[in-house]
Amino acid sequence: MKKNGYSAYFCPMNISEVFEPNRKQTLAITTLFGVEDLVVDELKSLGAIDIEKGNRVVHCKGDLKVIYKSCLQLRHAIRVLVYLDEFEAAGPEELYDGAVKLPWEDFLDFKTTFSINFAIHSEHYSHTMYASLKLKDAIVDRVRDVTGNRPSIDKVNPDYQFLLHISDEFVSIYLDASGPTLNRRGYRGESVEAPINETLASSLVKMTGWDGKIPLIDGMCGSGTIPIEAVYQARNIPSQWYRSKFGFNTWRNYDPALMAQVREEAKAKVKDLETEVFASDISEISLRSAQHNIKNARCENYIQTSLKSFENLEKPAEHGIIIINPPYGERLDPDDINNFYREIGDTLKSNFEGWDAWIITSNKEALKHLGLRTSKRIKLYNGPLETRFVKYELYKGTRKGQE
Ligand SMILES: C[S@@+](CC[C@H](N)C(=O)[O-])C[C@H]1O[C@@H](n2cnc3c(N)ncnc32)[C@H](O)[C@@H]1O
């Protein structure tokens, strides 16, 4: 059978083998566009093997311990999925026929609940919700026919969360180990307008190459996501350290002793912060939200917050990294947003010589008004918005026109 874009190596296993102890499962780690390489590096360090990069996904193999570690520690991922099966189905009826053959009774009985998420990109499935309903019917019918009882759906707190992925006629079904998506670290209670996804924030920090030894500033911090993720990274705090529930907690092979060991091993690597992290914003509401979130994330001893306009920021050391996620100006007059970016450029030139500045924005036109020479440019998406994450090295002679 033609595979769904994966190498033949990632041959799906028999669904009933998912609970075999020590079996290396085939995993799909979903992520954001442009950060796949970061996930590859993370998976290597967590002990996954046979790692293969895809588009917004990284495939690999790993046992239960790798699954637990991945859910607890991956900073740059969205979901940890265990591959269950794959088949071709050119429409909802064929999807039902393929899915009803699988031994769902290995997972489910009348006491267990499940839910289905889906990601469908196929002209064979014009009603994506209908496709997921057909999978649900197949699962329920199969379990009822084999056991005499039917499992029930729980969309909020299911025991088993499945993911249905369809690309053209290729159907893949996964078991979701993460539960709520991994960007939801749990510290963000109060939100400002346009908060950045935690996974993206963490990836931005990583991409700057910040080593946790020189100061880091977010001068337009909004809800404080970038500084929080920076502290977590520098201190080796697992991204999901304060999360109490993962998808795998309700699987019938859940091993609490193994999870305790995974947590202990991660805890042993936590270290102190060797430098200072600063978060400031011009808006009182934003700063209050950042302070609330920083406290929730147990980072209040590591991040200095201040109510300050970007133009008034000064460098606290000779070298450091400044990251900003400024307004993109979709609702502003182009002249106003271009001027705003020009002022950002002026502040960076005059107040941050010796620093690296990184800016993420979807506004390519406004970026030109910074008046700085670009030294790196990375394409990313902030939600649906195509953005550039751009680096400026603020050394003497880096102003445009001084080359
Ligand atoms: C897109 S939001 C940042 C979101 C943030 N990364 C987060 O995760 O919540 C842009 C922020 O820039 C702030 N801002 C706008 N103009 C500013 C200025 N001149 N100085 C400092 N902050 C400013 C806004 O108040 C807003 O909080």
Side-chain angles (χ1 to χ4, degrees), residues 89-91 119-128 166-170:
I120 299 174
H121 315 280
S122 170
E123 60 185 24
H124 302 295
Y125 297 84
S126 43
H127 300 290
T128 51
I166 307 179
S167 172
D168 298 328
E169 67 269 39
F170 300 111

Side-chain angles (χ1 to χ4, degrees), residues 75-189:
R75 297 185 195 287
H76 310 303
I78 299 292
R79 290 183 195 278
V80 174
L81 303 169
V82 180
Y83 215 13
L84 294 183
D85 210 346
E86 182 179 78
F87 52 87
E88 283 182 39
E93 304 310 323
E94 286 185 28
L95 167 65
Y96 178 94
D97 293 343
V100 82
K101 292 184 193 135
L102 304 177
W104 297 103
E105 62 278 8
D106 284 356
F107 295 86
L108 303 163
D109 59 24
F110 70 99
K111 289 190 286 271
T112 46
T113 58
F114 73 99
S115 73
I116 298 170
N117 287 323
F118 55 89
I120 299 174
H121 315 280
S122 170
E123 60 185 24
H124 302 295
Y125 297 84
S126 43
H127 300 290
T128 51
M129 177 69 96
Y130 184 61
S132 82
L133 285 175
K134 286 314 267 186
L135 175 58
K136 183 212 81 179
D137 288 348
I139 295 173
V140 171
D141 290 353
R142 167 82 191 203
V143 177
R144 195 196 44 221
D145 288 351
V146 175
T147 70
N149 288 297
R150 42 171 299 158
S152 29
I153 307 286
D154 181 343
K155 287 187 178 152
V156 182
N157 216 0
D159 296 321
Y160 294 94
Q161 187 169 299
F162 301 110
L163 184 106
L164 169 65
H165 180 267
I166 307 179
S167 172
D168 298 328
E169 67 269 39
F170 300 111
V171 174
S172 309
I173 304 176
Y174 302 91
L175 178 59
D176 189 336
S178 18
T181 51
L182 295 179
N183 58 295
R184 289 161 66 183
R185 321 288 209 217
Y187 56 69
R188 211 152 68 182

Side-chain angles (χ1 to χ4, degrees), residues 192 194-196 219-223 225 281-283 286 310-311 325 340:
V192 293
I196 201 164
M220 299 195 186
C221 71
S223 58
T225 324
D281 200 285
I282 199 171
S283 145
S286 291
F310 186 77
E311 299 73 43
N325 172 209
F340 177 63

